[in-house]
Amino acid sequence: MSQDNKEEIERCFNVLDKIINDNSIPKNIRRAAKNAKTEMQGDEDLTVRATNAISELNEVNEDPNIPVHARTEIWNAISILEGLTVDN
């Protein structure tokens, strides 16, 4: 794995941690962020891990009750993850 990918994964983890630790965000959305982070820590190919994490985040992104600031952070995380799928 390249250094750039490691830095992007770390950036994504920071965004996901921000969501996970924000108690103003509903529990189901924080859970999805935690699941996405767990997916990224798996052993599969980076593209597979990133795609699975994107899928997890996209599910809660459809929730009409998601706070605006949470949706923005999810979009940010998805954007980083999409960059990882393209680079590989």
Side-chain angles (χ1 to χ4, degrees):
M1 183 182 316
S2 75
Q3 184 63 29
D4 286 344
N5 284 348
K6 288 179 185 177
E7 288 172 6
E8 288 301 296
I9 291 170
E10 189 60 37
R11 233 181 78 194
C12 183
F13 284 174
N14 289 336
V15 172
L16 293 173
D17 285 337
K18 192 172 174 183
I19 296 168
I20 292 165
N21 296 317
D22 186 342
N23 289 329
S24 71
I25 296 175
K27 215 182 270 189
N28 66 318
I29 296 163
R30 288 185 283 144
R31 187 179 319 113
K34 189 173 186 175
N35 291 345
K37 185 174 177 181
T38 301
E39 279 289 342
M40 287 304 296
Q41 294 169 332
D43 292 331
E44 292 99 357
D45 178 68
L46 179 59
T47 302
V48 172
R49 290 183 285 154
T51 301
N52 290 342
I54 290 168
S55 177
E56 187 77 40
L57 294 173
N58 271 332
E59 282 183 38
V60 293
N61 200 33
E62 305 290 323
D63 185 337
N65 298 318
I66 187 172
V68 175
H69 71 284
R71 188 179 310 274
T72 303
E73 292 299 337
I74 288 174
W75 286 339
N76 190 6
I78 290 172
S79 175
I80 295 167
L81 291 166
E82 285 174 342
L84 292 171
T85 63
V86 171
D87 290 342
N88 266 337

